[in-house]
Amino acid sequence: MSASLPRVAIVGATGAVGTELIACLQQRRFAVRDLKLFASERSSGKRLAFAGQSLPVQPLAEDAFNGVDIALFSAGATRSRRYAPLAVRAGATVIDNSSAFRMDSAVPLVVPEVNPDRIAENRGIIANPNCVAIIAVVALWPLHRQFGIRRVIAATYQAASGAGAAAMEELRDATRASLAGERFEPRVLQHPYAFNLFSHDTAVDAVTGSNEEETKVGRELRKIMCAPELRVSITCIRVPVLRAHAIALNVEFEREVSPEAAREQLRAAEGVRIVDHVERNHFPMPLEASGQGDVLVGRIRRDSSDPSGHSLSLFVAGDQLLKGAALNAVQIAERLPPSGIAPR
Amino acid sequence: MSASLPRVAIVGATGAVGTELIACLQQRRFAVRDLKLFASERSSGKRLAFAGQSLPVQPLAEDAFNGVDIALFSAGATRSRRYAPLAVRAGATVIDNSSAFRMDSAVPLVVPEVNPDRIAENRGIIANPNCVAIIAVVALWPLHRQFGIRRVIAATYQAASGAGAAAMEELRDATRASLAGERFEPRVLQHPYAFNLFSHDTAVDAVTGSNEEETKVGRELRKIMCAPELRVSITCIRVPVLRAHAIALNVEFEREVSPEAAREQLRAAEGVRIVDHVERNHFPMPLEASGQGDVLVGRIRRDSSDPSGHSLSLFVAGDQLLKGAALNAVQIAERLPPSGIAPR
């Protein structure tokens, strides 16, 4: 392959997102000089398929990034904090899927449909936002750009995949046990998952009452849309769904907005597919969002509780592993300058 | 048994709610002179256990209510419209779980924790509200009474049971098939249910964009709380949970309300159990609400999107078949005058 093609590394290659990163690179024919796969000791020795080759999974080491142009990190905030600066020092541009650097003012937080121009401002690290923030912002941005959003009230329906591959397996195993009338002891999540739902498993702040997920989504939406005044209230709930998140959104605008005007903006928006078939009762569903790059948007209607006509309600669904994580990261990588080296 | 005890009939005795009506009467030691069980032709010939007896399930007929004091209906709006007036004419007081009479100004719509005084105003029919409306209002009423609610924005997580016993079976069967990698053709619900969720299966109004369930909840909340000015925006979603509904509630009050003040009202409220253990991340869950008469309330916190301090967020869960249907009906029956005959 050409020497001008980037050398890419994936950190967390065997995880739920890592697996999708490899798949996205292949499906989108992202041309690489070579691909290095890193994971925890537990996975080393494994081999994964990429572009007709079988690549070894290596344990992460301090010198792992020598010669790497683009490093896609998806191995948790602790590993990102330790290894991402090493990757940058070795000359790589890091696209980090963890929360480690998202709110760092020197780090662009990018959803390519929203703020692609920020990519060029990176000083070595570009942060991939929280999955709920990405899925919500793909639907909110075309509306914010046109009408100005003042306030968002959201309730999420979050899939197991957001807690990783082990949580997806736990949902399947717990459900299988429940159907068989057998006992099942949760291993990954704190609460029984079969035919059940629960408040997001991150810690709740004793003062604000928000959990970490909710806090992340609010501040990330503000940063991505460059909307510091945006007010966000969100309730994050984990539901027994495998890999796509849904969100009920109630949106208040600076002025009166009709559902038709909103629909027109959304229809023209990149990354959005309108699924709003009233006559067939067919609206965004996680099962149909799964495996799709687009965010599905429907139930677009006036908010019946706001007589001023400034508010709309909508319901969205997006693949947590794709647009909510791996796909968004690869879309960022696609926009990096040749060799992945952004100007420093 | 004493001649002064009421003679009770259950219409729809073999359905998901009917089964729970029988169980509630027994568990609450509701004393009856006798119990008649009615269901569709399909179920006639069946026998169901009640208080140590085995009772026949009979097909519904026009003269079915002769001698009946209290008729508990849960067989859909069409049957209620046809048979409830016949039951009233025969001298029975009807407690109707369908939507047929709920918005009739001559029919009390009752949740005993909220408006028990309306029971005495009945002219033969008392309506049992929609399950989401009941579960929400048990949590909202103590707050409305004390602080005055102006606006509610809600997103629901509704269980299969709301669509009947066949939908619960479909959820189990579809999930079993999904886990086995087999195809499953939906029979009861319109969309695939295994590890999926979808907008509520009632028709969406082309003008308002609300589905029938959403419209019902708004108008029933206003009627039950006698709050004609209350503004409600709700998104009703069916989730793969068996028998308890959850609701994310965002509540705007007429004045500033602290989470502590709200908690104090809720702690003293009938029918409410606060489950709000921040340190253990333990909040209302459908699995824990199932089989419980109380509505679980937690995640009580300031709405971070309302700087005026007038808004709170909370998350509730309640058993759709019990407090959302059968239990509420039996609690109404318990408050009827002796022999079930209300003054006409």
Side-chain angles (χ1 to χ4, degrees), chain A residues 190 214 231 280 299 305, chain B residues 190 214 280 299 305:
Chain A
Q190 199 186 335
E214 292 161 355
R231 292 179 278 124
R280 299 204 305 274
R299 296 298 321 273
S305 72
Chain B
Q190 200 186 333
E214 292 161 355
R280 298 204 306 273
R299 297 297 320 273
S305 72

Side-chain angles (χ1 to χ4, degrees), chain B residues 149-278:
Chain B
I149 296 177
R150 267 206 297 234
R151 184 188 189 191
V152 174
I153 295 174
T156 70
Y157 302 72
Q158 294 183 233
S161 60
M168 296 171 78
E169 200 185 317
E170 176 152 316
L171 174 56
R172 285 195 201 90
D173 292 347
T175 306
R176 202 174 278 119
S178 169
L179 287 168
E182 291 162 8
R183 246 188 98 69
F184 182 86
E185 208 53 58
R187 300 172 303 236
V188 181
L189 292 161
Q190 200 186 333
H191 302 293
Y193 205 174
F195 304 115
N196 193 28
L197 55 83
F198 41 86
S199 186
H200 194 275
D201 34 285
T202 44
V204 172
D205 184 281
V207 176
T208 64
S210 293
N211 62 41
E212 284 169 16
E213 183 85 349
E214 292 161 355
T215 305
K216 279 180 198 173
V217 174
R219 64 191 189 194
E220 293 183 24
L221 286 177
R222 284 185 282 271
K223 180 169 175 175
I224 301 163
M225 297 201 287
C226 202
E229 308 291 316
L230 178 72
R231 293 178 278 126
V232 178
S233 171
I234 180 164
T235 301
C236 287
I237 303 294
R238 184 82 71 193
V239 296
V241 161
L242 284 163
R243 62 174 283 166
H245 288 354
I247 318 172
L249 290 165
N250 181 279
V251 188
E252 184 188 317
F253 298 95
E254 281 157 21
R255 53 193 180 90
E256 193 169 340
V257 179
S258 71
E260 295 67 37
R263 201 169 281 122
E264 195 181 315
Q265 294 303 318
L266 289 163
R267 198 174 290 122
E270 217 187 319
V272 168
R273 181 148 61 87
I274 295 184
V275 179
D276 208 10
H277 307 294
V278 165

Side-chain angles (χ1 to χ4, degrees), chain B residues 35-41 43-46 56-61 64:
Chain B
L35 180 66
K36 286 183 173 178
L37 303 178
F38 298 105
S40 63
E41 290 286 353
S43 297
S44 74
K46 266 196 184 172
V57 177
Q58 305 170 57
L60 195 56

Side-chain angles (χ1 to χ4, degrees), chain A residues 65 68-71 84 86-94 124-125 340-341 344:
Chain A
F65 302 96
V68 167
D69 297 308
I70 302 175
L86 298 175
V88 173
R89 217 166 300 149
T93 300
V94 170
I125 301 177
I341 312 297
R344 297 280 158 79

